[in-house]
Structures are given as structure tokens and as C-alpha cells.
Amino acid sequence: MMQLVDTKGPAWHELPADAVLSRLRTRLSGLSDEEAAERLASYGPNELQAAGRASPWAILLEQFQNVLIVILLVAVALSAFLGHGMEAVAIGVIVLFAALLGFLQEYRAERAVHALRQMAAPLATVLRNGRETSIPARQLVPGDVILLTAGNRVPADGRILEAVNLQAEEAALTGESVAVEKQTSPIGDAQAALGDRTNLVYAGTAVAYGRGRAVVIATGMETEFGKIASMLQGVETGKTPLQINLDKVGRSLAKAGLVVVVLVIALGIWRGQPPIEMLIFGIALGVAVAPEALPAVVTISLAIGVQRMVKRNALMRRLPAVETLGSTSVICSDKTGTLTKDEMTVRRIAVAGAVLDVSGAGYEPVGHFELDGDRVETSPSLVRLLTAATLVSDSHVERAGQDGPWQVKGDPTEGAIIVAAAKAGLDKEQLDAEHPRIHEIPFASETKRMTTIHAGPAGSLVCSKGAPEVILASCTRQVTPDGDVLLDEASRARYLGLAQQFAGQALRVLAVADKPGAELSDGKEGMTFLGLVGMIDPPRPEAKAAIETCDSAGIKVAMITGDHPVTAQEVARELGVLKRGRVVTGAELEAMSDADLERAVAEIDVYARVSPAHKLRVVTAFQKNGHIVAMTGDGVNDAPALKKADIGIAMGITGTDVSREAAAMTLIDDNFASIVAAVEEGRLIFDNIKKYLMYLLSSNIGEILLMVGASLAGLPLPLTAVQILCINLATDGLPALALAVDPPEPGLMRRRPRSRDSGIFTRSVVTLMMIGGVWSAIVNLGLFAWELQSGRSLEHAMTMTFVSLVLIQFFKSYNFRSDRVSVLRQPFKNRWLNRAIIGEVLLLGLIVYVPMLQKPFATYGLSLTDWCIVVAAAFTICPILEMAKWCERRGLIGASDCVLR
């Protein structure tokens, strides 16, 4: 591809405007149509190129790559090949159901780049052939000169050539909470962060104020947005702990099952039994090994968990990620819009010798004023300051609908002033009506002030707001509780000191002055100093409590933001994120090697002035240290890290489409506190998954040992393949689903997070499963042999064994509601389990006594004596499991180590 632009040399922000034009081989009047066409052919259209998106068929095929699903598909094929149509259909339906449910949940998982493309500006105002014209933004090329006006979305990355009060809203890209003032001078720091390159504008951001011109330096995938899209395409999403554990289960069962099946078939053939009969026996045994209901139960229980989480304002997009929440050990949180409200708020006011604190957060005009912690009424001096500050503001605040959120129309800083005035009982519209504006001198980066002149009942009024040093220089008098007095040097120095103190608290500081009864004036002299206003994007009130809950749950919260270090540090300290840790900037991160970052990451609480690539490095460093990482965020700049994290959490209201598509979870109410509820739900889901895995796998162990024991003892097959399917799919399925909605155990959020290496199958869990399975096999094999030795028919003995095995599973379901707590403590608290067992008992009665079901299920009508025998035999599982739990509670069975590695 021919290069028409010199891309070598210093960064664009380091060069003066004329050098940029020279390097781009363009001019102030822009390109000609011919030059633009040539460059368009060379560089391609100004749009983000989507990576190859997975087709629906590919997503559906991916659902069949689960090891357990593969085992079941093999069982389907073998059953169909040998003419066992009923078994083949039953297993096939279960497999198809689980796969379709997973497909429907993950169909929208690869749309992040598509959302990025939708953010591109559809039209751009450009100079072509020296004339101003509008063209589709996709036709922009490097070297084009574009015009920027308030309200427009920036169509490409550009170096600013002209800036008239130009400010850009870059929160979605850099995390900066306020509009960034733009200028034209070169910036000497080659490593300046994106937010500090104030002579550049970026594609996808918006012009908040003023106007300007810029020359395009990058289009399409070469823009900062494009680089994020490239990173997003390259980010690999790892498997969740649940998926890893279930794959281990599948592999272990496959290996064990293959060994057992081959051993039993070989033993039978060696004893002279027909090979075909032993092959059928082996298939039945293979069906017993594979927990057919497990994939369906896992998927359904996760879906149920998703519905519960929606009620707690957390929307999950990927089912397996639900469980990941419960094992989260680190939350990397963006600041703007996540921990803070993304709404500038006046926090402190210095007026008439006093420093007042202002309560309330955001644009809702609710709050009051405090002095030394005590609430105070509004003074005339405060009213005068807020009146002048409101009159010299162009923005206004309104409510979105009758019950909607409050929004600012215009500059967020001015919106904060107007809200503070409303807390003092002042109304912007009423003040404007009483003091109509007759002249104004707009804010400029050179003067650092804005001045307006108003008419009024008492004559004209000049109002100014701006940088404290500039406003103080124009003042000769100051307001005090006793009226206006001369502004002496001591007072001037005190106010400048207060301004620096406010800035040290991460407050954005403006000074306000007025001049009553003056003629037309530029406000540069003879003004009366009214005071200082300090504002900040405040922390969410509920975020601090949520972070305290995270601390008690053993979850580290780290703030990662593109905002200024001082602002980030102050917000982090107020929220409790910054304790004894460090604050690190993007430049410092850049100087660290990956190994250095991995060693230091545990000690760092706040990351400021970071880029999207830095966020990815931080998430990766935590993961390398064995942590399960959740990343929260709302901006485009968060998307790659959201996708890389074990669990990405996006904001539903203020979040961009890109962040929501990249994340596994979206907070519907943008409330950081909802994360705590989601983590609690995730821990509950993991606990319940453990319960029904213990239940299902213990049942399978009992079936395997029963079949193997009968074979080794030279007995007939104690269960038919259809009976095994009935137990695994129907009888076990409903109680397992009921365990998926079991109520939480006490102290759920006071536990430490599980490590990445630990899984469901701790020694105590495996011991409990094995004891339950072994005892089940002993009881049922003994019952089967006793029935045959008593002269009962094989059909009667098989029915007794079948019913006994089902009843043992029912008793197990209550015992496995906890691997530690006794079944006697609130045994019937799970009403869904009670209903499932009642339904299953009725189903069992139908299978045993209805003639049309007796033949396919090979059952025989039992007498009352038979029922007494099987119930007594089945109930013996309860004291056995209670004794195992008693040993576990006393530390005789370890619980900390993971058995499946």
C-alpha cells in the first residue's frame, strides 16, 4: 500500500501545527478532491473493521464441545446402533435441550466491535478544495481539515489547528469526568497520557463547548478507538472455574468409566458369557457412569440464578460467568460513573471568611449547607455568591420525565453551580428573568474567566467566574459578614491558599466576583470578591458500604482510571479503596516490566492516568497471581479489560454499547452496591452447584459399584438400561434442580473467596460422595442378592433394587443440602425439594403399579411388606451420612484441599 503521509518522527502532539501540516502534506485550506480520493484508495475508509464474527452455527457447534456432552453423544450412537431406540431418544433429547439453552444465552457474545462501529460519526464537516462541505465520515482521510462545533461527535483523530473555547467530552475514552479544554500549542512530553494530549481530539468523543479546526492524523483502525477495537478482537476469554471443574469431572468419569466398562466386559467374556450380551451390559454400565442429567441441571440452575440476579439489578449475558462471581477475589473498578456518579457536584464553598460543606451528590437539587459539621441556614453572602455564579452560567438542569434522573444541559461544572444554588432556594430561570443578560465576554483559555453583564431592579450587575488567581487580580473589595470591605494582601493570600487546599482535595476550584451598579465593564478591575466554589465528581453514597462488604468478604477493590492522580487518590481514600497501598500512574506502569507488575500488583490500590493497554496489563497481572478478577467499567476504554477479566461488569445506564457487549454482566442501575448482591448470588449458586453435584455424582458412584459388584459376584444385571436412565434423568433430575434453588447458608458473605486452584471437589465433598455411593451400593447389592436367594423372581428382585435405589437418592437429596450442617437443622426448608420428592414418589408409584409402564420399565407390583423392607434399607443412608458430617465438623475430614487437579 502506498504511503502518502510521513509516519516517522515525533508524536503528533509534540509537533507545532505547521510541522503537522507539512508532515501530512496538506494545508490549512484542506485537500483537493483528487488528493482525498488518492488517499482514500491508499488508507481505506474511516471505519472500524469487524473481526470475523462467529456464525450462529459455530456458536451452536461450540455447545457440543463439552466432555460430558461428548460422552452422552457416544452413548446415543451406541444405543441407536444396537437397536435401543428408547435409550437413544431419551439421552438425545437431554443433550439437545442443554445445547440449545446455552446457544440462546451466548448468541450475542461477539458484538463488541459492531457496537464500536455504530459509534462513528455518520457525517463530518470538512474543508475540500478550500470550501466547507459535509461528507460521510467514512470518506475522511489523513490530511483532511475538519471543523468542530459544540454538540458534534469527532469523526477521526486530529491535531487541533484552531481552538476557540474548545472543550471535548472524553470520559468514554479516557475516564476524564469533566470536559477537557483544548489548545493548539505543542506538548513536549512524548509519553503524555491520552487525557493530557490537549492539542489532540479523538474519534468517537464529543465536542462539549466552543468551536475549532483540526487536521486528521488517523482514521479507521489507526485511531485510538480503532486500537481498542484491535485489542478487543485479540483478547481471549478464559474458561470459568465452573467450566474447568466440570471438564475435570467429565474427563475423570470418562477415564474411570472406560476402565470399568472394559474390565467388566472382559471379565464377562472370560467367564463364558455371550459377547453381544456383555456389550449391551457395557452400554448400560456406560449410561450409569455418565450423569445424563448433569449438563441440563447445570444449565437450568444457572439460568434460574440469572433470573434471580435480574431482580437484584444484575443482568448476566454468559451463563457460566454467574458462578465466577462467587469466586471473585479482586474487583478492578473504573472510577468515573462506577464508583462516582459522573455528575459534578459542589462540595465546599469559601464565602465571607467561612468554609461551608455542601451535602448531596449529583444533579438532584437536594442538600444543605454545613459549618464544622452543623447545618446552617443560607446567609446573604452565600446567596449573593450563588446568584452571581448562576447568572454567569449558560447551562441548566432539568429532570428527564416525571420520575426520571436529573440531567444537566450544557457544561457539567456550570450544572454543579446551578444545583448548589437550588439547594439555597435559588431558581436559575427566575434569576435570569429578574436579571436579564445584556452583554457577555465568553470564557477563553487565554483569559481563564467568563464575564456577563445584567440589567436589574437596582441597576446593572457585572458577574465573573474563573480561575482564582485571575478573579482575585481583578478585585479590590471582598464580601464579609459585615458587608463589603477592601481586599487586602493578607485576604488575597488566604483565598489563594484556600484555593490550593481545595485543589489538594481533588476539587475543581472556581472563584466568583460581582460589581453591582456598574456600567458596561469587562470585569477586569474594581470587582468584589465573593468567594470560592470547589466541586468534584462525587463518590456514590452507597459505594462505600459496598466496598466495606467486599473487605469483609475478602475481596480486594482496586481503582483503575484515566483521571488525574490527585482526584483518583482523594476519591479512593474517601471510599476506603486506598488504605495502605500505593497510587501508580500510567507512566509508572509503562516503566514496569510484566514481572515487576506481577510482584507489585497486590500492593497497589489506585491506578491513575492509565490507558486501555494498561488496564489489560493490570487485569492480567492479577490473574497471573492466581486471582479471579472482576473488572467494572462504563466507557469504551474499559472494553478490552472487561473482556479479558474473568467477569466483566458494565454499567447499564451510563455505560457504552461497547462496554456492555464486552462484559459478562451489566448492572441495570449502575450501582456499585449491586455488585455485592451479585457476588452473594454467585456464591450461593456455587454452593448449590456443589450440593447437586454431590447428589448426582454420589448417585452415579452407587450405580457403578452396584453394577460392577453384581458382575464380579456372578449375579444377573440388577437394573435395566431404561431403569438407569429413569433414575439418572427423571428421578435424580428434579431433586437436583430443587437443590439449585436451595436457600443460602448463614455467613455466606463472611467467607474468604475460593482460590483459582480450589474447586468443588474438596476432600470432604469427595469423601461424602464416596461414602454415600459405597453405602448405596452395599445396601442395594445386598438386597438384590437376598431377594434372589429367597427364591423371588428376577423381575421382583430388580424392582426391589430399583425402588430401594430411588428411595436412597431421595434421602440423599436432603442430606446433601450441606456438606457440614446436619440434616436435622431445618430439614424441610427447601419447599421446592419437598415438592420434587412428592412428585417423584408419585411417579415411582406409577412406574411400579401401572400395567402399561411395567413392561418398558421391567417392574413388578410390590406388597406392603416389600415397601417396609425397601424403606428401611434406604433410610440407613441417613445415619451414615450424618456420621460423616460429624467427622468433618471436627476436622477429621479435611476440607481445604482440592482433590481434582
Side-chain angles (χ1 to χ4, degrees):
M1 179 183 294
M2 178 176 57
Q3 290 294 318
L4 304 176
V5 173
D6 180 13
T7 57
K8 299 179 180 179
W12 294 110
H13 64 275
E14 295 181 82
L15 298 173
D18 55 353
V20 173
L21 292 172
S22 175
R23 184 163 153 186
L24 287 167
R25 300 177 187 175
T26 186
R27 49 203 171 274
L28 287 172
S29 59
L31 301 172
S32 66
D33 287 338
E34 293 75 16
E35 290 171 321
E38 186 179 2
R39 296 190 183 197
L40 185 63
S42 177
Y43 293 101
N46 176 36
E47 59 187 9
L48 301 180
Q49 303 300 320
R53 295 173 62 189
S55 69
W57 288 110
I59 297 174
L60 181 61
L61 183 62
E62 188 178 350
Q63 309 304 314
F64 291 91
Q65 295 176 5
N66 180 294
V67 178
L68 288 174
I69 294 289
V70 172
I71 294 174
L72 296 179
L73 289 176
V74 172
V76 169
L78 287 175
S79 297
F81 177 75
L82 294 171
H84 295 267
M86 182 178 294
E87 292 93 327
V89 170
I91 302 173
V93 168
I94 291 295
V95 171
L96 187 62
F97 178 75
L100 285 178
L101 198 54
F103 165 78
L104 292 175
Q105 289 293 332
E106 296 183 13
Y107 177 64
R108 297 173 65 244
E110 296 299 327
R111 297 176 59 192
V113 175
H114 177 71
L116 268 170
R117 297 180 72 191
Q118 302 308 308
M119 295 187 70
L123 292 175
T125 304
V126 63
L127 291 179
R128 288 277 175 89
N129 304 312
R131 297 190 302 271
E132 183 179 323
T133 182
S134 291
I135 63 171
R138 69 186 306 273
Q139 295 180 10
L140 283 178
V141 295
D144 265 327
V145 176
I146 55 176
L147 277 64
L148 306 170
T149 56
N152 287 353
R153 189 177 293 276
V154 180
D157 287 4
R159 170 65 163 85
I160 297 172
L161 304 175
E162 175 188 332
V164 180
N165 304 324
L166 184 63
Q167 297 179 13
E169 177 57 62
E170 298 178 348
L173 183 65
T174 67
E176 185 73 50
S177 56
V178 297
V180 178
E181 186 178 327
K182 295 297 181 178
Q183 50 87 32
T184 60
S185 302
I187 297 170
D189 184 4
Q191 303 301 322
L194 292 181
D196 294 329
R197 300 177 188 181
T198 54
N199 57 7
L200 300 183
V201 287
Y202 304 107
T205 62
V207 179
Y209 192 79
R211 59 183 176 84
R213 295 188 182 198
V215 59
V216 174
I217 58 174
T219 59
M221 297 299 286
E222 298 302 315
T223 63
E224 294 300 329
F225 262 45
K227 292 173 184 176
I228 293 174
S230 298
M231 284 192 291
L232 204 57
Q233 294 170 5
V235 171
E236 303 244 343
T237 304
K239 287 188 174 184
T240 70
L242 176 62
Q243 290 171 317
I244 293 171
N245 274 282
L246 290 182
D247 282 348
K248 289 178 180 178
V249 173
R251 287 193 295 269
S252 299
L253 288 176
K255 294 174 183 176
L258 183 62
V259 170
V260 170
V261 169
V262 170
L263 181 64
V264 170
I265 291 177
L267 181 61
I269 294 175
W270 179 74
R271 291 168 54 184
Q273 295 184 354
I276 294 297
E277 181 180 326
M278 288 310 303
L279 186 59
I280 295 174
F281 188 99
I283 292 174
L285 197 55
V287 171
V289 171
E292 288 85 353
L294 182 57
V297 171
V298 169
T299 305
I300 293 169
S301 65
L302 290 176
I304 292 171
V306 166
Q307 297 305 314
R308 285 203 308 261
M309 294 177 79
V310 168
K311 297 177 182 178
R312 304 184 77 169
N313 296 311
L315 177 64
M316 300 302 301
R317 292 186 57 248
R318 290 194 284 274
L319 283 184
V322 175
E323 175 271 338
T324 309
L325 276 170
S327 52
T328 297
S329 57
V330 175
I331 298 177
C332 295
S333 176
D334 186 47
K335 178 185 74 70
T336 306
T338 307
L339 291 169
T340 65
K341 292 181 69 68
D342 198 14
E343 298 177 359
M344 291 298 289
T345 304
V346 173
R347 297 289 290 270
R348 307 195 79 189
I349 297 176
V351 59
V355 177
L356 304 178
D357 294 313
V358 186
S359 70
Y363 297 136
E364 185 177 7
V366 176
H368 58 269
F369 302 90
E370 297 177 354
L371 178 62
D372 297 329
D374 297 323
R375 181 168 180 170
V376 295
E377 298 300 322
T378 54
S379 64
S381 301
L382 177 61
V383 171
R384 181 176 170 184
L385 181 151
L386 292 173
T387 297
T390 302
L391 289 174
V392 76
S393 299
D394 292 325
S395 303
H396 65 280
V397 177
E398 62 183 31
R399 192 164 199 166
Q402 186 174 0
D403 299 316
W406 290 86
Q407 300 173 340
V408 62
K409 300 297 183 181
D411 182 65
T413 301
E414 293 185 345
I417 291 172
I418 294 167
V419 171
K423 293 174 183 178
L426 301 174
D427 180 72
K428 167 71 170 168
E429 293 184 3
Q430 183 178 346
L431 289 176
D432 287 340
E434 293 174 354
H435 304 275
R437 186 181 298 184
I438 58 178
H439 186 65
E440 70 176 82
I441 303 173
F443 178 88
S445 56
E446 294 78 15
T447 61
K448 296 184 178 179
R449 69 188 300 153
M450 177 179 180
T451 302
T452 57
I453 304 172
H454 305 263
S460 63
L461 174 67
V462 180
C463 301
S464 287
K465 74 173 190 295
E469 65 275 12
V470 173
I471 297 299
L472 277 166
S474 69
C475 294
T476 56
R477 300 178 68 80
Q478 62 176 319
V479 66
T480 71
D482 300 322
D484 295 356
V485 300
L486 288 175
L487 179 65
D488 55 25
E489 290 305 315
S491 297
R492 197 183 304 272
R494 184 170 62 84
Y495 278 118
L496 286 174
L498 272 175
Q500 291 178 353
Q501 180 184 330
F502 281 12
Q505 297 167 353
L507 299 176
R508 185 176 186 184
V509 187
L510 290 178
V512 183
D514 72 2
K515 188 176 183 180
E519 298 299 327
L520 290 179
S521 168
D522 59 6
K524 291 184 178 180
E525 59 183 19
M527 302 289 286
T528 300
F529 187 78
L530 301 180
L532 301 171
V533 178
M535 60 199 77
I536 194 174
D537 176 17
R540 292 178 176 271
E542 64 278 1
K544 186 172 184 178
I547 289 170
E548 289 174 354
T549 304
C550 287
D551 288 341
S552 66
I555 300 171
K556 176 181 175 62
V557 179
M559 179 189 290
I560 308 182
T561 178
D563 215 339
H564 194 278
V566 175
T567 305
Q569 180 173 319
E570 187 64 27
V571 172
R573 183 175 288 113
E574 183 174 343
L575 284 171
V577 172
L578 182 60
K579 302 176 185 70
R580 297 175 299 277
R582 297 161 52 193
V583 178
V584 172
T585 64
E588 292 170 320
L589 269 182
E590 200 69 44
M592 287 186 185
S593 67
D594 289 342
D596 290 339
L597 180 57
E598 288 171 25
R599 286 191 293 269
V601 72
E603 303 171 0
I604 303 172
D605 289 338
V606 178
Y607 302 81
R609 276 289 190 253
V610 295
S611 69
H614 295 148
K615 295 185 178 186
L616 271 178
R617 286 189 65 200
V618 172
V619 170
T620 303
F622 274 119
Q623 291 174 329
K624 289 286 183 66
N625 278 278
H627 289 288
I628 294 175
V629 184
M631 168 71 187
T632 73
D634 61 348
V636 175
N637 58 340
D638 299 320
L642 286 173
K643 191 174 182 183
K644 172 64 176 174
D646 298 282
I647 176 81
I649 306 172
M651 301 295 115
I653 299 174
T654 59
T656 60
D657 287 343
V658 183
S659 63
R660 287 193 289 267
E661 291 296 331
M665 183 178 94
T666 298
L667 297 182
I668 299 171
D669 60 352
D670 282 16
N671 192 334
F672 187 85
S674 296
I675 296 174
V676 178
V679 169
E680 182 179 3
E681 200 66 48
R683 290 189 174 190
L684 173 60
I685 288 170
F686 180 85
D687 272 10
N688 289 348
I689 287 174
K690 180 174 67 175
K691 293 172 188 178
Y692 65 65
L693 280 178
M694 283 195 299
Y695 171 68
L696 287 177
L697 296 181
S698 176
S699 301
N700 286 98
I701 290 169
E703 293 167 23
I704 293 170
L705 294 179
L706 172 62
M707 304 290 274
V708 172
S711 177
L712 294 176
L715 298 175
L717 193 65
L719 297 171
T720 68
V722 175
Q723 286 175 338
I724 293 173
L725 274 175
C726 177
I727 294 170
N728 285 10
L729 299 181
T731 310
D732 288 354
L734 285 181
L737 275 176
L739 288 174
V741 293
D742 205 45
E745 295 182 27
L748 192 63
M749 289 301 287
R750 292 193 295 273
R751 303 179 190 168
R752 307 295 296 177
R754 304 185 314 277
S755 70
R756 182 180 289 274
D757 293 332
S758 70
I760 294 173
F761 301 99
T762 59
R763 182 175 297 166
S764 62
V765 169
V766 172
T767 302
L768 208 61
M769 286 194 311
M770 291 303 300
I771 289 174
V774 169
W775 186 255
S776 172
I778 291 173
V779 169
N780 288 304
L781 187 60
L783 179 63
F784 182 66
W786 178 74
E787 284 285 310
L788 292 177
Q789 290 176 1
S790 300
R792 306 288 180 91
S793 68
L794 177 62
E795 186 180 37
H796 186 277
M798 291 176 67
T799 302
M800 291 284 284
T801 306
F802 170 68
V803 172
S804 173
L805 182 58
V806 170
L807 293 180
I808 283 180
Q809 313 293 52
F810 292 168
F811 287 124
K812 278 185 187 178
S813 66
Y814 284 100
N815 278 275
F816 284 149
R817 286 190 57 228
S818 174
D819 60 335
R820 290 177 57 88
V821 180
S822 170
V823 70
L824 301 178
R825 183 180 296 180
Q826 296 181 312
F828 304 112
K829 187 176 180 180
N830 187 338
R831 66 180 188 276
W832 293 107
L833 181 59
N834 300 334
R835 295 170 184 174
I837 295 300
I838 292 172
E840 295 288 3
V841 168
L842 294 176
L843 176 62
L844 181 62
L846 294 176
I847 291 173
V848 170
Y849 291 109
V850 174
M852 65 179 296
L853 295 178
Q854 286 179 335
K855 184 175 181 180
F857 284 96
T859 55
Y860 180 88
L862 300 181
S863 66
L864 180 60
T865 302
D866 293 333
W867 278 103
C868 290
I869 293 172
V870 293
V871 169
F875 184 76
T876 59
I877 193 68
C878 292
I880 295 296
L881 292 177
E882 278 299 296
M883 185 174 295
K885 290 183 186 180
W886 182 86
C887 293
E888 198 280 330
R889 289 196 296 270
R890 279 151 183 79
L892 302 178
I893 301 175
S896 60
D897 57 325
C898 180
V899 173
L900 287 178
R901 294 288 184 186

